[in-house]
């Protein structure tokens, strides 16, 4: 059965990969992101391939705007089957005691509070219908901290705890919760982390073939289409030459 899939942070990276893969699967898409122009480009790309796409331009940190858009969805788009909580970012690699408080706020407000906002807005409808799937994009960074990762790692540890907690809360329903934990994925993630320093960002992927957004999207689509009695609770996805968040072998 084709689903209605809402993806946050859908304008690039893993979110864009998920948009394309779920579109290929024949699902209807609600794509959210901050860049309205980029959302329009993606909508055009996917509709030309036959997908049904709605775009909503807002920042998940803006709880009131998120509420306005989600509660204002046309009736035929309201029964969301899959929520992909993908919007997230890392900023900086400074020691914790030298970190930028504004970076901390942005990461916590996006990676944790934004995820909570979307969950709070969408999951009650899933509970009422007794069907649905929440796919949270966590990280290997949520399993163990690495040098300079402090606050980002903490936010992804929170994603794991929130995924596990939600799974407990809705265990009496037919709703499933999946936490996907990617390792090194080549997106604009590092460029954002280093505040636009493209040279420094490129070094992150030097000497190793990293994952792509499509690789993570493949797992998301698989989890969403597993038999109804199967819950893919958690998946750690690493590049072949990456053993953990901090152990990478480069050529």
């Amino acid at each position: 059965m084709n689903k209605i899939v809402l993806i946050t942070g859908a304008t690039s990276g893993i979110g864009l990969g998920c948009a394309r893969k779920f579109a290929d699967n024949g699902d209807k898409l609600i794509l959210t992101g901050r860049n309205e122009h980029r959302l329009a480009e993606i909508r055009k790309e996917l509709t030309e391939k036959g997908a049904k796409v709605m775009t909503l331009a807002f920042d998940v940190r803006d709880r009131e705007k998120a509420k306005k858009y989600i509660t204002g969805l046309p009736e035929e788009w309201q029964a969301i089957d899959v929520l992909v909580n993908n919007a997230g970012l890392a900023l900086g690699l400074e020691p914790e005691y030298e970190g930028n408080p504004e970076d901390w706020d942005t990461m916590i407000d996006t990676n944790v509070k934004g995820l909570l906002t979307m969950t709070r807005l969408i999951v009650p409808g899933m509970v009422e219908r007794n069907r649905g799937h929440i796919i949270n994009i966590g990280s290997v960074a949520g399993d163990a901290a690495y040098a300079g990762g402090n606050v980002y790692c903490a936010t992804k540890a929170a994603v794991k705890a929130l995924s596990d907690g939600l799974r407990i809360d809705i265990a009496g329903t037919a709703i499933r919760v999946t936490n996907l934990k990617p390792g090194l994925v080549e997106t604009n993630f590092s460029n954002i982390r280093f505040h636009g320093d493209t040279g420094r960002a490129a070094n992150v992927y030097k000497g190793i073939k990293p994952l792509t957004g499509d690789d993570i999207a493949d797992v998301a689509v698989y989890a969403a289409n597993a038999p109804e009695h199967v819950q893919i609770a958690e998946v750690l996805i690493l590049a072949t030459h990456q053993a953990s968040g901090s152990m990478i072998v480069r050529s």
Side-chain angles (χ1 to χ4, degrees):
M1 182 183 74
N2 297 132
K3 303 176 177 69
I4 298 175
V5 181
L6 188 148
I7 304 166
T8 67
T11 56
S12 64
I14 294 171
L16 178 55
C18 285
R20 288 169 172 158
K21 294 287 184 176
F22 277 106
D24 289 345
N25 194 56
D27 297 314
K28 294 171 62 177
L29 303 177
I30 303 172
L31 306 180
T32 85
R34 293 176 296 171
N35 188 329
E36 188 169 5
H37 177 69
R38 184 69 183 123
L39 283 171
E41 290 179 338
I42 295 165
R43 180 178 182 177
K44 182 175 185 293
E45 171 197 331
L46 297 179
T47 54
E48 286 178 350
K49 295 179 179 179
K52 294 183 179 179
V53 182
M54 170 176 284
T55 58
L56 305 174
F58 67 89
D59 190 326
V60 294
R61 293 179 295 171
D62 188 335
R63 189 173 295 144
E64 289 306 311
K65 189 167 285 188
K67 181 178 179 180
K68 174 186 173 183
Y69 277 113
I70 299 304
T71 58
L73 284 169
E75 185 176 354
E76 65 271 23
W77 288 90
Q78 290 178 4
I80 295 165
D81 298 292
V82 181
L83 166 62
V84 182
N85 276 316
N86 166 73
L89 75 168
L91 292 170
L93 265 178
E94 298 85 5
E96 190 172 320
Y97 59 88
E98 294 179 352
N100 183 336
E102 292 183 2
D103 286 350
W104 299 345
D105 288 344
T106 301
M107 286 186 281
I108 293 168
D109 289 348
T110 305
N111 301 1
V112 181
K113 292 182 180 179
L115 179 147
L116 282 169
T117 292
M118 298 305 295
T119 300
R120 182 65 181 85
L121 288 170
I122 292 169
V123 174
M126 293 181 174
V127 172
E128 184 178 343
R129 295 184 295 275
N130 195 34
R131 74 172 192 274
H133 196 150
I134 302 93
I135 300 176
N136 292 331
I137 305 300
S139 173
V140 63
D143 289 344
Y146 55 78
N150 44 77
V151 175
Y152 173 71
C153 294
T155 66
K156 290 304 183 178
V159 171
K160 173 176 170 51
L162 292 171
S163 300
D164 292 345
L166 181 60
R167 197 178 300 111
I168 292 166
D169 291 339
I170 58 177
T173 74
I175 302 166
R176 302 180 291 188
V177 181
T178 298
N179 179 22
L180 298 186
K181 305 188 300 184
L184 197 63
V185 184
E186 187 167 14
T187 64
N188 64 348
F189 175 90
S190 291
N191 196 48
I192 292 171
R193 161 166 264 171
F194 298 127
H195 298 282
D197 187 335
T198 54
R200 192 177 178 193
N203 284 333
V204 173
Y205 311 107
K206 191 174 181 179
I208 185 172
K209 184 173 183 179
L211 302 167
T212 68
D214 285 350
D215 294 327
I216 311 308
D218 282 336
V219 183
V221 172
Y222 173 80
N225 289 279
E228 290 184 2
H229 70 288
V230 177
Q231 180 170 210
I232 309 298
E234 188 171 283
V235 183
L236 175 64
I237 311 142
L238 301 175
T240 299
H241 296 294
Q242 179 177 16
S244 69
S246 56
M247 176 59 186
I248 299 172
V249 178
R250 303 178 189 272
S251 60

